[in-house]
């Protein structure tokens, strides 16, 4: 490539980046609404709850106060549970049943879901909480353990600046509609299908 060709290529690249910057700057200027948002993380892939934990860490960096309601996973001893238990700005509620296939008792599962939802509702009414995480909530709706209309009503009537993160597979259309940001995590490959057990610090 000649020197003139190299200069022309550099100039073309610079123009493209200038146009891109102008577009991004304009979009940032247009984004002038300040409100609490709902982030929905769904799909069959690994990483939804881990992404929610990342947002918890981000919020903790700003000294924000957080409420976490964990549905479905129960009293599993995970690294994030150990970490969050040490955080004074984090309140945690856990559904006591664990996985539904462990209890094999639908009535008990429904009762425990309702108990955890009562605690989650309290978070959604608490103006002092900046962020509420509803981990695996989608299952409670798809299994019909919780009334979806009651969940939607609580989300719609939360404090206006409170952010919410919802995780779980097979999110309902109504949850998708109410959310401000929706991300679907796709399952391409998982170590468990190769008979590799859950690894501390990665899966636990």
């Amino acid at each position: 490539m000649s020197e003139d060709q190299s200069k022309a290529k550099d100039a073309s690249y610079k123009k493209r980046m200038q146009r891109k910057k102008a577009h991004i700057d304009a979009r940032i200027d247009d984004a002038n609404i300040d409100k609490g948002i709902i982030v929905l993380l769904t799909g069959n892939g690994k990483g939804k709850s881990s992404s929610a934990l990342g947002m918890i860490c981000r919020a903790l960096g700003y000294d924000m106060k957080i409420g976490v309601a964990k549905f479905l996973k129960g009293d599993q001893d995970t690294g994030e549970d150990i970490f969050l238990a040490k955080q004074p700005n984090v309140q945690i509620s856990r559904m006591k049943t664990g996985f539904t296939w462990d209890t094999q008792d639908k009535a008990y599962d429904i009762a425990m879901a309702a108990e955890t939802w009562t605690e989650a509702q309290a978070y959604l009414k608490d103006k002092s909480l900046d962020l509420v995480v509803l981990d695996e909530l989608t299952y409670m709706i798809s299994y019909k353990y919780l009334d979806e209309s009651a969940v939607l009503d609580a989300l719609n009537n939360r404090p206006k600046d409170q952010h919410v993160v919802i995780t779980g597979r097979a999110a309902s259309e109504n949850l998708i509609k109410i959310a401000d940001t929706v991300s679907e995590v796709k399952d391409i490959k998982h170590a468990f299908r190769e008979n590799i057990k859950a690894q501390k610090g990665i899966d636990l």
Side-chain angles (χ1 to χ4, degrees):
M1 183 184 297
S2 70
E3 184 176 345
D4 288 343
Q5 287 174 322
S6 179
K7 286 181 179 179
K9 187 175 181 181
D10 288 344
S12 176
Y13 173 81
K14 186 174 182 179
K15 284 182 179 179
R16 287 201 311 275
M17 292 303 103
Q18 286 173 337
R19 288 196 299 270
K20 187 176 185 69
K21 183 179 186 306
H23 173 72
I24 292 171
D25 287 346
R27 292 292 295 117
I28 291 172
D29 288 340
D30 288 342
N32 55 15
I33 299 171
D34 193 7
K35 56 167 280 201
I37 66 168
I38 297 176
V39 177
L40 174 60
L41 305 169
T42 191
N44 293 334
K46 171 180 167 57
K48 298 179 290 294
S49 296
S50 300
S51 178
L53 180 63
M55 282 182 266
I56 291 172
C57 291
R58 180 174 289 169
L60 286 172
Y62 290 105
D63 201 33
M64 296 166 78
K65 298 187 184 306
I66 302 145
V68 181
K70 298 186 71 172
F71 296 90
L72 198 66
K73 293 177 180 174
D75 291 327
Q76 269 190 313
D77 188 18
T78 64
E80 57 264 34
D81 292 328
I82 296 167
F83 170 76
L84 292 176
K86 299 174 182 177
Q87 307 304 316
N89 277 5
V90 179
Q91 303 175 45
I92 306 176
S93 302
R94 295 181 194 163
M95 186 168 157
K96 297 181 177 66
T97 57
F99 292 103
T100 53
W101 52 84
D102 288 331
T103 63
Q104 300 172 23
D105 185 338
K106 185 175 182 179
Y108 181 64
D109 287 340
I110 291 172
M112 292 302 97
E115 181 180 285
T116 307
W117 173 242
T118 296
E119 295 173 329
Q121 279 184 299
Y123 293 157
L124 292 168
K125 293 176 182 177
D126 189 343
K127 293 180 180 180
S128 73
L129 293 179
D130 303 291
L131 172 65
V132 174
V133 175
L134 305 173
D135 190 38
E136 310 291 9
L137 177 69
T138 61
Y139 290 96
M140 301 301 101
I141 293 172
S142 61
Y143 291 172
K144 301 191 184 306
Y145 288 2
L146 296 176
D147 178 58
E148 184 179 42
S149 62
V151 172
L152 297 173
D153 185 62
L155 290 168
N156 278 323
N157 290 290
R158 73 191 193 281
K160 70 179 185 67
D161 294 323
Q162 187 183 78
H163 306 296
V164 178
V165 179
I166 300 169
T167 73
R169 297 184 181 197
S172 71
E173 285 300 317
N174 286 324
L175 277 181
I176 291 171
K177 286 177 184 176
I178 201 175
D180 300 285
T181 298
V182 180
S183 293
E184 183 176 8
V185 182
K186 186 177 180 181
D187 179 23
I188 296 174
K189 190 175 183 180
H190 200 295
F192 185 69
R193 288 198 289 275
E194 299 300 321
N195 296 325
I196 301 171
K197 67 180 183 179
Q199 301 296 306
K200 185 183 291 185
I202 302 299
D203 298 303
L204 297 173

